[in-house]
Amino acid sequence: MSNRWALGFLLAFILIVSAYNLFIYPSLPEKIPIHWNARGEIDDWGAKEWAVWLVPAIMLLWTGLVVALPWLSPRHFKVDPFRPTFNYIMVVTGAFFVLVHWVMIQAAFDHRFPSGRLVVAAVFLLFALLGNVLGRVRRNFWVGVRTPWTLASDTVWIATHRLAARLFALTGFCGAIAGVAGAPLSPLLVSLLIVVLIPVIYSLVLYKRLEAVGKV
């Protein structure tokens, strides 16, 4: 995905969400959910005057990062070698913000709306979509499994991201389906944490193994 398309998608997301906010604002309740606990229950609320603009503000900052992060990247850690993948990741995450915003608004209107379950399912779907391209990401400081060992070795980075790509894609799709189907949310979130930690541990083990034979 080119820079122009990525920025275009993200700006379109912001305009759509902002227009939606202006349209529904007069009928919004005074408080909007802004946080859920591990059981999918709303545990924090915000006044509509600012809470309805929370996600658009985050999305505006996110759009700025599409330009800022490549410029900030130091030599040998540039995003240019995988720029289309970087842009895809930024756009998919931006679409995730749009979905979360919609869920927040629906939950504000109807407290029985399964907002927490949908947010968890959306998180898993995001992991699945990111895992689908994670193997194309190259060493950088912004996206991917960034540990001291992956950043120190191209070999460790590539092997770790191939593993993470398979784990994230499989767990993400299965978790999204399970979340929508009514599976308990706490175990799902624990499984996601485990899947995130596995590539971290793998990168350490692989680096030390290569270090022992003088290959790093």
Side-chain angles (χ1 to χ4, degrees):
M1 182 181 295
S2 69
N3 297 348
R4 180 177 299 179
W5 277 103
L7 290 172
F9 274 121
L10 290 170
L11 290 173
F13 292 161
I14 294 171
L15 290 175
I16 290 170
V17 170
S18 298
Y20 178 62
N21 282 351
L22 293 173
F23 178 75
I24 64 169
Y25 189 85
S27 60
L28 275 174
E30 291 303 313
K31 291 186 177 181
I32 296 175
I34 58 174
H35 193 269
W36 293 260
N37 61 28
R39 295 185 296 276
E41 302 164 343
I42 299 170
D43 61 3
D44 199 7
W45 300 77
K48 76 172 185 179
E49 287 79 9
W50 62 267
V52 74
W53 300 107
L54 180 62
V55 170
I58 294 173
M59 292 172 64
L60 185 61
L61 174 62
W62 192 255
T63 302
L65 293 178
V66 173
V67 177
L69 294 184
W71 180 80
L72 290 169
S73 299
R75 188 188 299 269
H76 305 306
F77 292 93
K78 297 286 187 181
V79 303
D80 293 338
F82 66 97
R83 188 62 179 262
T85 302
F86 172 81
N87 289 337
Y88 167 87
I89 290 171
M90 301 300 279
V91 169
V92 167
T93 306
F96 166 77
F97 292 144
V98 175
L99 178 57
V100 169
H101 182 75
W102 178 80
V103 170
M104 289 169 58
I105 299 302
Q106 300 310 306
F109 282 119
D110 182 3
H111 297 175
R112 296 170 298 177
F113 186 74
S115 56
R117 181 167 297 281
L118 290 179
V119 167
V120 170
V123 170
F124 273 95
L125 181 59
L126 176 63
F127 266 76
L129 295 175
L130 297 184
N132 191 46
V133 300
L134 204 57
R136 304 174 196 167
V137 175
R138 293 299 175 256
R139 277 198 297 170
N140 72 100
F141 287 125
W142 313 120
V143 297
V145 185
R146 302 176 309 283
T147 70
W149 312 288
T150 56
L151 291 173
S153 165
D154 268 328
T155 301
V156 176
W157 177 281
I158 292 171
T160 298
H161 282 75
R162 286 176 178 169
L163 172 65
R166 292 190 292 268
L167 288 175
F168 286 11
L170 178 61
T171 304
F173 281 120
C174 291
I177 294 171
V180 172
L185 297 184
S186 294
L188 282 179
L189 293 173
V190 170
S191 71
L192 189 61
L193 178 61
I194 292 172
V195 167
V196 169
L197 288 176
I198 288 174
V200 174
I201 297 171
Y202 175 79
S203 69
L204 167 61
V205 173
L206 178 58
Y207 184 89
K208 289 301 181 182
R209 185 182 301 166
L210 294 174
E211 186 180 51
V213 295
K215 293 186 176 181
V216 291

